[in-house]
């Protein structure tokens, strides 16, 4: 067959020598391009040599031998470095499902994994690359590996009134703690006119804009006040 593999081992033979070998093969077999069984071995050899030449770093992809290979011998080669530089567009749905599968593999329940992946993919949808898929490994997976946060901790309500609540996230994923607490605040606000929910022992919860959208879609407004301790700061209020 005259078909060549997509990838072959790059040759250690200098480019000049490879090119000379190709031209010599063409010169010694002027009729090898004709569709004849006697010429098939020459065409196969030319195809293999041309692909090795294409795989060699520093090759000129505009070299005329590639044109000869395609137009005369019917051989189209693949330039590996061009494949590497090619852009690949991945659908948001595929990215979200990938993140959900990762969370489930870490022990997050399917419903919470759905919430976590939705919060992250919303950042990518809005063009906030710093808080989307790119954070899956370094912020969430690595921290679960290190025991800094946990995949499936309960959300404990410590204190609650009609309009307020104090919640303990127990160092679970902020990506499911945040939406849970935001929904609590929304429910209280719809019933009593206002809702305040404070959370402790939570972790990174994604883009703050996600929670603003939860409120606006419910016909409400939202105010978020994060409490961060400086290095050496006290945990006492």
């Amino acid at each position: 067959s005259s078909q060549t593999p997509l990838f072959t081992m790059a040759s250690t033979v200098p480019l000049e020598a490879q090119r000379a070998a190709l031209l010599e093969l063409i010169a010694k077999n002027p009729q090898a391009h004709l569709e004849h069984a006697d010429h098939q071995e020459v065409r196969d050899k030319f195809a293999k040599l041309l692909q090795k030449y294409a795989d060699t770093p520093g090759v000129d992809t505009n070299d005329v031998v590639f044109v000869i290979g395609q137009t005369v011998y019917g051989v189209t080669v693949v330039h590996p470095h061009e494949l590497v530089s090619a852009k690949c567009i991945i659908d948001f749905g595929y990215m979200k499902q990938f993140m959900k599968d990762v969370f489930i593999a870490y022990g997050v329940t399917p419903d919470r994994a759905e919430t976590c992946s939705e919060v992250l993919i919303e950042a990518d949808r809005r063009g906030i690359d710093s808080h989307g898929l790119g954070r899956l490994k370094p912020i969430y997976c690595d921290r679960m590996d290190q025991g800094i946060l946990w995949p499936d901790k309960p959300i404990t309500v410590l204190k609650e009134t009609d309009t307020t609540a104090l919640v303990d996230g127990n160092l679970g994923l902020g990506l499911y703690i945040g939406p849970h607490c935001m929904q609590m605040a929304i429910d209280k606000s719809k019933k009593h006119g206002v809702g305040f929910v404070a959370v402790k022992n939570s972790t990174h919860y994604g883009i703050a804009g996600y929670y603003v959208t939860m409120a606006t879609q419910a016909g409400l407004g939202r105010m978020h006040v994060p409490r961060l301790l400086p290095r050496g700061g006290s945990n006492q209020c």
Side-chain angles (χ1 to χ4, degrees):
S1 171
S2 62
Q3 293 182 340
T4 58
L6 282 179
F7 294 99
T8 58
M9 293 297 292
S11 176
T12 57
V13 179
L15 285 171
E16 297 80 2
Q18 293 184 64
R19 190 174 190 277
L22 285 164
L23 294 175
E24 182 180 6
L25 188 63
I26 294 172
K28 287 184 176 180
N29 301 276
Q31 296 185 355
H33 64 286
L34 300 177
E35 291 294 333
H36 193 283
D38 295 340
H39 304 314
Q40 187 61 52
E41 184 177 347
V42 176
R43 290 197 297 273
D44 289 346
K45 183 178 180 180
F46 178 84
K48 291 179 180 179
L49 289 176
L50 190 64
Q51 184 62 61
K52 286 184 178 180
Y53 183 53
D55 291 341
T56 305
V59 69
D60 180 5
T61 58
N62 295 315
D63 194 323
V64 68
V65 293
F66 294 120
V67 179
I68 294 173
Q70 183 173 14
T71 59
V72 179
Y73 286 86
V75 177
T76 301
V77 299
V78 176
H79 298 284
H81 66 281
E82 291 184 349
L83 288 178
V84 171
S85 63
K87 292 183 179 180
C88 180
I89 299 176
I90 301 177
D91 183 78
F92 286 130
Y94 184 93
M95 293 165 60
K96 178 184 174 181
Q97 185 61 50
F98 169 76
M99 291 190 285
K100 180 177 179 179
D101 291 341
V102 170
F103 283 125
I104 291 174
Y106 267 87
V108 182
T109 60
D111 58 331
R112 286 180 170 179
E114 170 69 21
T115 300
C116 291
S117 58
E118 176 60 27
V119 175
L120 287 181
I121 200 62
E122 181 61 20
D124 288 311
R125 292 191 191 113
R126 299 186 187 192
I128 309 174
D129 298 338
S130 62
H131 283 62
L133 175 62
R135 286 211 165 189
L136 177 64
K137 180 184 182 299
I139 301 299
Y140 305 105
C141 294
D142 286 357
R143 291 181 181 180
M144 285 189 283
D145 289 337
Q146 296 164 12
I148 298 174
L149 56 85
W150 305 90
D152 190 32
K153 287 288 188 177
I155 300 174
T156 307
V157 179
L158 302 177
K159 297 179 181 180
E160 186 173 18
T161 68
D162 287 344
T163 57
T164 65
L166 173 60
V167 175
D168 190 337
N170 295 296
L171 296 181
L173 281 164
L175 294 172
Y176 67 71
I177 297 171
H180 177 90
C181 293
M182 187 64 212
Q183 190 59 53
M184 287 182 65
I186 289 172
D187 292 343
K188 289 178 180 297
S189 182
K190 282 191 170 183
K191 187 174 182 179
H192 302 288
V194 67
F196 294 95
V197 177
V199 187
K200 72 174 188 175
N201 295 323
S202 185
T203 56
H204 195 279
Y205 73 167
I207 55 170
Y210 182 86
Y211 304 95
V212 174
T213 301
M214 284 185 67
T216 56
Q217 288 180 342
L220 305 170
R222 171 188 179 272
M223 180 175 68
H224 168 239
V225 183
R227 178 174 175 266
L228 301 174
L229 291 174
R231 181 182 294 275
S234 171
N235 196 36
Q236 302 298 319
C237 293

